[in-house]
Amino acid sequence: MNIRLTAHSESWPVAGHFTISRGSHTHAEVIVVTLSQGGATGATGRGEATPSARYAESIPRSLQELEIAATALRHGATPDDLLVQLPAGATRNALDAAWWDLRCKQSGQRITELLGIAPLQPVTTAYTISIDTPGAMEAAAREQAHRPLLKIKTGGDGVVESVQAVRRGAPGSRLIVDANEAWPPEHLAELLHAMADLGVALVEQPLPAGQDGALATLRRPLPVFADESVHTSADLPALRDRYDGVNLKLDKAGGLTEALRARNRAREEGLRVMCGCMLGTSLAMAPAMIVAQGAEVVDLDAPLLLAMDRQDGIVYRDSTMQPFSAALWG
């Protein structure tokens, strides 16, 4: 096929800081894969992903995996061969996205045409309020009170106070709460009831992945969605008794191809679908926006949290994402 693969890392500054239960980020550290065919006048596809230390990933490791992939391409492998060999994760996501983009460029078709689906429609995304003092979170919520959906990051302490603060700052917004595995198991029932009393729409991943069995026997007063507990479609059958929905992210699933499979499987298992993301630019959000079509909850606000985005980035009108252009991806 004579396809050439190159990869590099990029660092995109966050506007302020982004803090979750596992720590703070001042930059989105991403990898970008480029697949080229036909030399200087040929087609080129791009894909972006964000390796996560939570899943034993790193920029150096991803770049090393991609160098091995580039060598395999030079020796006759195809991108499809590589996608079968790579495990689910950020490296495979970047390659999968670049391969879809290259095929769009080669065929002159948009990604929706290649997939045989309807043209993309705008979607409304959540906007994230990072962990901070209650006063700072209230002030941040007040600045974003015009947005219909706010996502509140919490740790294991001060959960109720943080959510109360955001509610004061944005009394008209719908709220979702993301614990990122940080809630103490002994306070799980108490905290879920407190969230329900505060009008929270749903809670994400209150307990650590692999230690969430208590959710199966607990009467849940509001929907609880899996995040860290779900990566691919293979994970879903075991989660249907513990969770009401799942947060599908391309960096966990290993790309658009598997994320679409997981979305369909989630429906079969009776689970609601949320489409989320890691910190990244519009290049990473574009393929995720396909998975977001028809999702009950969309959380693709990463470009809004950055100090700057890519050229030809997705247009956000307040919290509404407009369909991306072919100049960006797909």
Side-chain angles (χ1 to χ4, degrees):
M1 298 180 73
N2 193 28
I3 295 176
R4 179 171 178 263
L5 184 157
T6 58
H8 65 275
S9 63
E10 296 177 350
S11 184
W12 293 80
V14 172
H17 67 93
F18 178 76
T19 302
I20 66 173
S21 62
R22 289 190 288 271
S24 293
H25 301 270
T26 58
H27 290 75
E29 307 290 349
V30 307
I31 55 171
V32 177
V33 168
T34 300
L35 290 177
S36 304
Q37 188 172 30
T41 60
T44 297
R46 298 185 303 165
E48 178 189 310
T50 304
S52 170
R54 168 63 181 82
Y55 305 121
E57 297 175 332
S58 68
I59 295 286
R61 180 172 179 175
S62 285
L63 293 177
Q64 183 180 40
E65 290 171 340
L66 290 164
E67 180 56 40
I68 293 171
T71 300
L73 282 178
R74 290 194 295 270
H75 286 84
T78 68
D80 287 324
D81 294 333
L82 301 178
L83 291 169
V84 169
Q85 296 164 10
L86 284 167
T91 305
R92 193 175 79 186
N93 178 28
L95 178 60
D96 185 72
W99 183 216
W100 278 112
D101 193 33
L102 178 60
R103 283 177 285 180
C104 287
K105 301 296 193 299
Q106 290 172 328
S107 66
Q109 294 180 294
R110 295 304 307 272
I111 182 66
T112 50
E113 295 175 287
L114 284 186
L115 290 169
I117 61 176
L120 296 182
Q121 299 300 309
V123 296
T124 299
T125 180
Y127 182 89
T128 303
I129 305 295
S130 290
I131 295 175
D132 210 321
T133 65
M137 293 179 76
E138 180 176 348
R142 189 172 294 112
E143 290 181 4
Q144 306 300 332
H146 62 286
R147 299 185 185 276
L149 180 62
L150 296 179
K151 177 172 176 173
I152 308 166
K153 293 288 189 177
T154 76
D157 299 319
V159 175
V160 174
E161 293 80 4
S162 295
V163 177
Q164 287 174 332
V166 172
R167 175 55 76 202
R168 288 193 300 270
S173 299
R174 184 170 173 238
L175 304 181
I176 58 180
V177 170
D178 187 2
N180 285 120
E181 308 179 280
W183 285 6
E186 63 271 21
H187 297 308
L188 174 62
E190 172 190 345
L191 286 171
L192 287 177
H193 281 281
M195 297 301 100
D197 291 343
L198 287 167
V200 170
L202 66 90
V203 170
E204 275 186 76
Q205 197 72 43
L207 300 178
Q211 301 175 39
D212 51 4
L215 287 165
T217 57
L218 182 68
R219 184 176 179 181
R220 301 185 289 273
L222 77 172
V224 179
F225 278 45
D227 182 355
E228 286 85 351
S229 287
V230 59
H231 292 248
T232 70
S233 57
D235 299 322
L236 295 170
L239 300 179
R240 61 186 176 188
D241 294 331
R242 302 179 188 185
Y243 293 97
D244 304 286
V246 290
N247 187 349
L248 303 178
K249 296 177 180 176
L250 273 65
D251 277 322
K252 293 186 301 176
L256 173 61
T257 305
E258 174 57 28
L260 288 173
R261 187 178 297 118
R263 186 184 66 178
N264 294 338
R265 183 67 182 272
R267 302 292 191 204
E268 294 171 0
E269 297 291 344
L271 293 163
R272 303 180 207 177
V273 172
M274 178 177 184
C275 182
C277 64
M278 306 298 189
L279 272 179
T281 74
S282 283
L283 183 57
M285 301 306 111
M289 195 175 178
I290 298 166
V291 181
Q293 299 293 299
E296 284 84 351
V297 184
V298 177
D299 180 25
L300 299 178
D301 64 337
L304 295 176
L305 306 177
L306 300 180
M308 60 183 295
D309 194 11
R310 293 185 187 278
Q311 183 178 354
D312 301 311
I314 293 172
V315 174
Y316 289 78
R317 294 176 182 158
D318 287 331
S319 292
T320 302
M321 301 174 69
Q322 305 303 309
F324 52 86
S325 69
L328 174 67
W329 185 85

